[in-house]
Amino acid sequence: MFAASATVPKCGRLEQDALQDVPAGRSSTRWFGAGGGALWAAAPHSMVRWEERRGTAGGPGPAVLAPSASTMTPAKENVSLLFKLYCLTVMTLVAATYTVALRYTRTVETELYFSTTAVCVTEVIKLFLSVGILAKETGSLTKLITSLKENVFGSAKELLKLSVPSVVYALQNNMAFMALSNLDAAVYQVTYQLKIPCTALCTVLMLNRTLSKLQWFSVFMLCGGVTLVQWEPAQATKVQVEQNPWLGFGAIAVAVFCSGFAGVYFEKVLKSSDTSLWVRNIQLYLSGIVVNLFVVYVSDGAKILEKGFFYGYTYYVWFVVLLASVGGLYTSVVVKYTDNIMKGFSAAAAIVLSTVASVILFGLQITVTFSLGALLVCISIYLYGLP
């Protein structure tokens, strides 16, 4: 298992909640649950809270696990304002760029690629990245092979257990592509914040946790903001492809439910044993590749046989795939220096950037209801992240 040190295990799929600080003493490092969808590592002289965050505010970006800013030692917290601004910039750009770039590839490209293959390729890249980092964690090729034999290839039961979130994540990722094929990036970015109340609901029902009155208030405010955004959807004048806004909203509804359920389910799996998070992710990605290959065959099998697996792939498409695969891992380098308030500000800034980019690239026409709804969503994200 990971020791409670400066080394950051950058993996797993959970949703973050309000930060808290609980000092304690343990004779050895172990992992157990705490409130808010996080894990605590208890070391001989301290307790470090590891919280999981997605690499992007919307879409199927990889998740990362990093120590909470509230439980870092003073030396770690004492970073310059300039570096914190750098952290905020990275988080915001990853969130906004992924959404806008994906939207661009689904509406501007003349030869539209198969979205199911993009999701599958993303899982393959994340698998190789996880194996590489597990190799660094184990320290030698022999230990890596032993770990894979014992925990992955020799544990069919565990693979079957991880197949549940794999199926759900496959559905979520494909729904994200469908949503951005029918909704503007700004509208998607705002609406996808429904993952917060959905995750909160799953946490309450599946993990028997409670939310504060302020968090419940922010949840209802967020839902109201999204309702305003969808009440009179903003139109993009430069997009010529046929779109169905209601289909896009339905796809987001499915995606946010999948995000909440799969995140909480995976959290329960993580806490059921002391298996390495990287091993768990390898199990998850292996199952995910099998599931996504099945989806590719069922959805686009005949067309792929005719045109090829990578039909329609351009530099922009590969950029989206790589951003979804690597973006979260890069964010994990800086995410330990941020807190929930900064993350909430980052999500709000990503909404603003996506809106500006949509106006410039896609000719988005901003309405009063969209502006008011987006403002309510940004405020609710800030309130939900307050300690």
Side-chain angles (χ1 to χ4, degrees):
M1 236 11 252
F2 300 107
S5 66
T7 303
V8 184
K10 308 183 283 288
C11 193
R13 298 173 182 257
L14 303 175
E15 295 292 337
Q16 76 288 346
D17 206 330
L19 304 178
Q20 52 184 318
D21 208 20
V22 182
R26 301 291 185 201
S27 59
S28 62
T29 300
R30 61 192 293 261
W31 295 81
F32 56 95
L39 297 178
W40 291 84
H45 303 292
S46 65
M47 181 178 286
V48 178
R49 183 182 191 271
W50 296 84
E51 62 179 6
E52 199 124 1
R53 306 186 179 191
R54 289 192 178 280
T56 55
V64 296
L65 188 73
S68 164
S70 64
T71 55
M72 296 298 293
T73 61
K76 292 295 182 183
E77 289 184 348
N78 188 24
V79 295
S80 67
L81 176 61
L82 184 62
F83 185 74
K84 287 186 176 182
L85 290 176
Y86 164 76
C87 297
L88 181 65
T89 301
V90 170
M91 294 172 63
T92 303
L93 288 179
V94 167
T97 304
Y98 173 82
T99 304
V100 174
L102 200 160
R103 169 66 172 175
Y104 181 86
T105 62
R106 299 306 293 174
T107 57
V108 177
E109 300 291 338
T110 54
E111 297 181 346
L112 197 60
Y113 61 97
F114 302 111
S115 61
T116 53
T117 64
V119 174
C120 188
V121 171
T122 300
E123 294 296 298
V124 172
I125 294 175
K126 288 190 286 188
L127 174 64
F128 280 108
L129 290 173
S130 297
V131 171
I133 299 176
L134 179 62
K136 182 179 180 181
E137 179 186 291
T138 54
S140 69
L141 182 60
T142 303
K143 292 181 179 179
L144 172 64
I145 295 175
T146 301
S147 179
L148 291 176
K149 284 182 177 180
E150 291 179 356
N151 299 300
V152 181
F153 301 110
S155 183
K157 181 180 178 181
E158 295 300 313
L159 281 175
L160 185 62
K161 185 189 300 183
L162 268 297
S163 66
V164 175
S166 295
V167 171
V168 179
Y169 278 127
L171 179 60
Q172 174 196 338
N173 295 339
N174 282 283
M175 288 298 102
F177 275 86
M178 180 181 293
L180 280 166
S181 298
N182 292 278
L183 292 175
D184 185 81
V187 176
Y188 171 89
Q189 191 76 267
V190 174
T191 309
Y192 195 78
Q193 302 309 315
L194 284 173
K195 66 182 180 181
I196 295 176
C198 189
T199 301
L201 181 61
C202 289
T203 300
V204 171
L205 296 178
M206 297 173 63
L207 299 180
N208 297 319
R209 291 180 184 155
T210 58
L211 300 179
S212 67
K213 292 181 179 179
L214 181 61
Q215 286 177 317
W216 279 119
F217 174 75
S218 65
V219 163
F220 287 111
M221 179 186 290
L222 190 149
C223 293
V226 171
T227 300
L228 284 175
V229 169
Q230 293 295 331
W231 189 266
E232 187 181 350
Q235 300 296 322
T237 58
K238 295 182 182 180
V239 176
Q240 303 300 324
V241 297
E242 183 179 353
Q243 299 177 100
N244 186 337
W246 286 107
L247 178 62
F249 180 72
I252 289 185
V254 174
V256 297
F257 174 78
C258 291
S259 174
F261 172 79
V264 175
Y265 180 95
F266 192 69
E267 178 181 353
K268 294 186 68 173
V269 172
L270 287 176
K271 294 177 181 177
S272 66
S273 69
D274 59 356
T275 304
S276 166
L277 285 167
W278 290 114
V279 170
R280 286 300 190 192
N281 274 273
I282 291 172
Q283 294 170 340
L284 185 69
Y285 297 145
L286 277 175
S287 302
I289 290 171
V290 174
V291 171
N292 279 288
L293 283 175
F294 176 76
V295 174
V296 168
Y297 174 76
V298 172
S299 300
D300 304 304
K303 296 179 182 178
I304 289 174
L305 288 176
E306 177 186 351
K307 299 181 179 180
F309 191 87
F310 296 105
Y311 173 79
Y313 274 58
T314 63
Y315 291 116
Y316 296 111
V317 177
W318 280 112
F319 176 68
V320 169
V321 171
L322 291 176
L323 191 61
S325 305
V326 185
L329 296 178
Y330 178 75
T331 303
S332 66
V333 176
V334 298
V335 75
K336 65 179 179 178
Y337 298 105
T338 64
D339 53 28
N340 266 8
I341 295 177
M342 184 174 286
K343 184 180 182 300
F345 184 79
S346 174
I351 291 175
V352 174
L353 283 181
S354 297
T355 302
V356 173
S358 295
V359 171
I360 297 173
L361 295 176
F362 311 117
L364 180 69
Q365 296 178 328
I366 305 298
T367 62
V368 175
T369 54
F370 174 87
S371 301
L372 181 59
L375 178 61
L376 287 177
V377 169
C378 292
I379 294 174
S380 67
I381 293 173
Y382 171 77
L383 293 178
Y384 189 86
L386 289 177

